[in-house]
Amino acid sequence: MTRTINSYVNGAPVGAAPGGTVENRNPANLDDLVGTVAMGDANTFVDAARAAKAAQPGWADVPAPIRGRAIAHIGRLVEANTEALARLVTREIGKPYAEALGEVREIVDTCDFFVGEGRRLYGQTVPSEMPDKALFTFRNPVGVVATITAGNFPVAVPAWYLVPALLCGNAVVWKPADYSPACGEALYELFVRGGGLPEGVLNLVMADGEQTFAGLEQSLEAGLVDKVGFTGSSAVGSKIGELTGRHLQSACLELGGKNPMVITPSADLDLAAEAALFSGFGTAGQRCTSLGTVIVHESVHEDFLARFDKLTQQAPVGDPTQGVVFGPMLDEKFAERFEDYLGWIQPHHTVLGSSATGRITATNPREGFVGDPEAGVFYHPTIVDGVREDDEIFRNETFGPMVGVTTYRDFDEALRLANLPGYGLSSSIYTTDANDAFRFRRGISAGMVSVNNSTSGAEAHLPFGGNGKSGNGSRQSGMWVLDQFTRWQAMNWDYSGRLQKAQMDVADLTADESYRLPE
Ligand code: UN1
């Protein structure tokens, strides 16, 4: 039986499909129909925003510790459904099962952190410059949060928005990626049931990019959305930034990356090669935190490359249920885009990693492929050596299993190359020299810096976000995301019985600033 995947507004499935129906298939096995999606349109989005607007004041009235209890229940329900949810992630987007389990763990970690925040959400008491006057700060919910998420982390990254937004007393409209709707619906169910969320507090919209953008625009114009969170491409992020800017809002934007890995002469090259494999080819290179370019010192270039190439040649690729390093592309549309990126390979490049490039098929096989390559959307891992700083491959995100390699002579050059593409999400350095590590941290414009670790692998209680083309400086996760989903309010309370004017009625001490120490 084919399952129908719906939008949900005010706690009820929408039923209608004004945006038509779309089939959603397993990218590792295209014969496997995951579900048929009843697509909404711009009006569905506006309806969801209206429902959220109506429900939000009641949710904000629920005491924060009780909202924290809701998050605790959600975390426990997600944990109890770990295997089923991870299996769905693997089936819908082709992420290897072990990674999918880690992704579900990341939701539980996020819930664990924010349960405590429900009993904190601290404001401050602040001394006043005048007597008999008290100053306080409070965190208020922003209102309605609209969040639009990517499908490479179809449940963990949405949870980074949903959990803190709800905990802070906001109502939410969530539009999952159109290629991960089943994960979207499953997570929605777990949140609504586990959290006992009142109707309208969380709404789910299935719609394509164009209808979502139109619906968001109309909702902003109607004053129904107060905050936008978006994870996706830099191009769409800049459109959302423009739209929200017109409404005097600043969106929380988590965009692409061109994450560098610098390998210094003192590095442990085996460790670096293992990290390059995981960072570059895990999730078939389709993480925002995936490795873009290895920037390796010329003295260890050959040595490193030989190790990285060998590991890549040996890496099991294929069926994501079978313990592979990576499975298929998330969806056919990413395969099409990746073909364009492969077109950026130039005659001056040397291609390694596999005996072939492009789609893995019976006629373009990969040795040791796990499963049937023709069943899904699988690509050869591709290492491109000899990348130069003006190459498209060096300058742009190449979402897919491709890693560039270039060399450097001195540390300043490594840093310059690492910053050059103008993204700034994640970064990594392999070195055993502490000075290099700290010089790199200071010099790299990136939200995340790994020393002797992969470019991916952020933890749920550290700030996550980027600079430059990777975002507008907003940070998710941990206590830092609270500033995205609350507004600070300053309160002053004067109990002096008279009008005390700030700055004007302030008493000062008598100081003698003309005094000088004897020579
Ligand atoms: C993303 O790719 O958008 O650090 C998020 C990591 C994961 C999250 C990545 N924990 O790779």
Side-chain angles (χ1 to χ4, degrees):
M1 199 189 84
T2 313
R3 132 187 202 180
T4 302
I5 302 166
N6 272 296
S7 301
Y8 292 79
V9 175
N10 244 332
V14 170
T21 53
V22 175
E23 284 189 344
N24 175 37
R25 290 182 178 275
N26 177 342
N29 175 10
L30 295 168
D31 287 339
D32 176 21
L33 183 62
V34 180
T36 302
V37 192
M39 296 289 274
D41 62 4
N43 286 332
T44 317
F45 196 100
V46 177
D47 288 348
R50 194 166 285 116
K53 198 72 179 172
Q56 192 268 330
W59 180 240
D61 283 346
V62 174
I66 309 304
R67 297 196 303 259
R69 296 279 301 154
I71 301 301
H73 293 309
I74 291 168
R76 284 202 288 269
L77 191 63
V78 169
E79 195 158 20
N81 283 277
T82 296
E83 286 82 10
L85 189 56
R87 273 198 301 275
L88 186 60
V89 169
T90 296
R91 182 175 172 208
E92 184 161 53
I93 59 139
K95 182 177 287 199
Y97 184 63
E99 271 185 67
L101 284 173
E103 167 151 8
V104 176
R105 182 73 240 169
E106 204 160 335
I107 307 174
V108 177
D109 294 346
T110 301
C111 291
D112 283 354
F113 181 87
F114 284 101
V115 171
E117 206 51 59
R119 291 195 181 265
R120 211 160 27 236
L121 272 189
Y122 289 153
Q124 293 115 344
T125 57
V126 179
S128 170
E129 63 194 30
M130 282 165 291
D132 298 330
K133 188 178 174 194
L135 307 181
F136 309 91
T137 66
F138 295 86
R139 284 189 184 276
N140 288 338
V142 175
V144 171
V145 172
T147 179
I148 301 164
T149 52
N152 55 348
F153 281 81
V155 290
V157 170
W160 291 356
Y161 289 103
L162 302 186
V163 170
L166 293 169
L167 184 277
C168 291
N170 303 285
V172 177
V173 175
W174 173 32
K175 205 296 277 186
D178 37 19
Y179 56 93
S180 62
C183 287
E185 191 180 53
L187 194 68
Y188 168 85
E189 289 283 357
L190 294 172
F191 267 66
V192 168
R193 286 167 197 263
L197 301 179
E199 282 171 13
V201 169
L202 176 60
N203 305 275
L204 184 72
V205 176
M206 301 293 167
D208 66 18
E210 207 175 303
Q211 291 297 318
T212 302
F213 197 83
L216 179 62
E217 193 163 23
Q218 289 166 30
S219 302
L220 283 162
E221 267 155 28
L224 299 173
V225 165
D226 305 287
K227 178 82 191 182
V228 178
F230 172 74
T231 296
S233 71
S234 301
V236 176
S238 103
K239 278 180 68 185
I240 289 188
E242 242 177 87
L243 173 63
T244 49
R246 282 211 295 280
H247 292 273
L248 304 178
Q249 293 184 18
S250 78
C252 180
L253 299 175
E254 201 263 273
L255 311 175
K258 186 72 186 175
N259 309 296
M261 177 180 285
V262 169
I263 300 174
T264 71
S266 71
D268 178 330
L269 296 182
D270 284 326
L271 214 54
E274 194 187 345
L277 180 77
F278 176 71
S279 303
F281 298 120
T283 324
Q286 300 163 106
R287 300 181 193 131
C288 311
T289 54
S290 288
L291 169 60
T293 308
V294 173
I295 301 167
V296 56
H297 191 266
E298 57 181 9
S299 66
V300 290
H301 168 241
E302 289 304 318
D303 208 352
F304 165 77
L305 199 63
R307 291 166 207 234
F308 182 29
D309 183 36
K310 187 170 168 214
L311 285 185
T312 308
Q313 300 270 3
Q314 291 170 345
V317 174
D319 181 346
T321 65
Q322 301 298 320
V324 293
V325 167
F326 72 91
M329 303 301 285
L330 303 165
D331 183 80
E332 190 79 54
K333 76 174 178 187
F334 292 101
E336 284 160 28
R337 254 179 31 183
F338 188 60
E339 293 281 354
D340 293 342
Y341 303 145
L342 287 169
W344 289 346
I345 296 174
Q346 301 281 316
H348 66 263
H349 296 142
T350 307
V351 178
L352 303 98
S354 229
S355 50
T357 56
R359 194 156 175 161
I360 307 175
T361 59
T363 50
N364 187 27
R366 173 173 170 86
E367 205 182 315
F369 186 87
V370 182
D372 172 11
E374 305 262 330
V377 195
F378 297 96
Y379 274 76
H380 286 278
T382 301
I383 300 171
V384 182
D385 187 33
V387 164
R388 299 177 187 159
E389 61 181 75
D390 291 327
D391 293 347
E392 301 266 32
I393 288 184
F394 182 82
R395 300 257 168 179
N396 300 290
E397 184 176 36
T398 50
F399 211 70
M402 172 150 73
V403 173
V405 179
T406 193
T407 56
Y408 75 92
R409 284 189 182 165
D410 63 49
F411 192 84
D412 287 344
E413 189 188 9
L415 205 49
R416 187 183 65 80
L417 289 171
N419 281 321
L420 199 60
Y423 290 82
L425 187 62
S426 183
S427 61
S428 160
I429 184 166
Y430 271 77
T431 186
T432 50
D433 182 333
N435 291 338
D436 285 348
F438 278 98
R439 277 159 73 200
F440 185 69
R441 185 213 64 74
R442 200 179 55 229
I444 189 79
S445 174
M448 288 167 285
V449 187
S450 294
V451 180
N452 297 328
N453 202 350
S454 151
T455 51
S456 44
E459 297 188 30
H461 51 287
L462 268 179
F464 185 99
N467 308 332
K469 286 189 263 179
S470 294
N472 56 354
S474 48
R475 294 292 182 263
Q476 297 186 271
S477 294
M479 64 184 189
W480 299 273
V481 78
L482 296 177
D483 286 338
Q484 296 293 328
F485 296 126
T486 56
R487 295 257 185 273
W488 280 113
Q489 182 181 55
M491 177 190 192
N492 78 81
W493 186 334
D494 194 316
Y495 50 95
S496 67
R498 53 188 197 281
L499 178 65
Q500 302 194 87
K501 301 190 214 75
Q503 293 91 43
M504 296 156 71
D505 296 338
V506 179
D508 203 353
L509 302 173
T510 316
D512 177 7
E513 291 186 7
S514 65
Y515 176 74
R516 298 290 178 274
L517 289 170
E519 294 287 332

